[in-house]
Amino acid sequence: MKQRVTILGATGSIGQNTLAVMANHPDQFELFAVTANGNVADMITICRRFKPRYAVMADKQAAQRLQQELADLNCEVLGGEEAVIAVAADAQVDTVMAAIVGAAGLLPTMAAVKAGKRVLLANKEALVMSGQLFMDAVAKHGAELLPIDSEHNAIYQCLPLDVQQPLGHADLAAAGIHQILLTGSGGPFRELPIAQLAQQTPAAACNHPNWSMGQKISVDSATMLNKGLEYIEARWLFNCKKDQIQVLVHPQSVIHSMVSYIDGSVIAQLGQPDMRTPIAYGLGYPKRIESGVQALDFLQLGELTFMPAEAARYPCLQLAIDACWEGQWATTSLNAANEIAVAAFLQERIPFTAIAEICDRVLQQLSAVEITTVEALIELDTKARAIARQQVEQVS
């Protein structure tokens, strides 16, 4: 029987790569539903090629336009955030690819978890914002969680089975694990003099040397805030303590992450910088399926290098590491502030270096508060965004 798949965020890079992998295996996968925010043009293309049962636009006006364009197709078009949540939790769905960028992905991803789905997690914010709540929900509702970010997928592949299965609740030390080594490319400004960072444009920040990604995540890579978010994710996914996780800059993006064991062994996952590999791993798990990605040619590989991530060059990374151990209030606030600051930078309203400054100021203006519900998370997220907008206005 075919796996029925819903893709949350189908028009983004993860969504498009998921469709590409599924297209190679029409006998194994059936597209149940696709969602997007407002990109009607790409949704038309997706729906005409893959013929899902449902197409959902979070923007209701965009849904109306899509419905007109697909009037001749046997595809039900829905609009609004409630509809996005509905197709994530639908009883007919087996697997949900959670690839909506930003905080908007939290509620539909949580809905898929509470419906006990296999959730392929490519949305960082679900764990950055809700951490313990999210992992507890996975355990409570019997969902199967598979990390899709290349780094977390690499770590997952390097772990023993008894750590993979109770994901988020395993004892790393008892499993003989010394440390998780989280790698990152360092982004396009890795070798730029720090004094020149303030002058960098959105185009320069989005010119990633290794990966083809959307604008927001490309800027996050340039600040290495994306690695900070991944650090927070790794803490929750693998139940890490502070001394059990380290970030390394690895410019070639060939080793996607590593796990160091107490006997001195280090197990690494290597591959091309292509998201189809971890996506295929998630779709096919526990079997491996063809992804369309060429295997590494070690004779052509060249040098692999590593270096520390300097706090002076990557203050956003340090903010995230500190927030990780401050508590859920801090990681939620940091994520919200960063989304506002990055949007302002992409609109050329603030300089590149102001992203970290705004995030820091937002954290300073908020105080520790215990988060026990998703509603409380959303309220804090809203408050942090309002403060961040005020800070943007002061800078711009």
Side-chain angles (χ1 to χ4, degrees), residues 9 26 31 58 98 115 127 149 182 187 193 207 209 213 235 259 269 285 288 299 312 337 344 354:
L31 188 61
L127 278 172
D149 268 355
L182 192 64
N207 186 25
M213 306 179 292
R235 179 260 176 104
V259 176
Q269 190 267 339
Y285 186 84
R288 290 184 182 266
L299 296 179

Side-chain angles (χ1 to χ4, degrees), residues 106-145:
L106 173 60
L107 292 180
T109 304
M110 186 69 87
V113 166
K114 290 181 177 179
K117 305 301 182 185
R118 169 179 280 194
V119 178
L120 310 185
L121 187 64
N123 168 276
K124 291 177 170 54
E125 290 73 18
L127 278 172
V128 170
M129 290 181 66
S130 64
Q132 191 68 61
L133 291 172
F134 190 87
M135 296 309 298
D136 287 348
V138 170
K140 178 181 178 181
H141 298 281
E144 183 180 17
L145 187 65

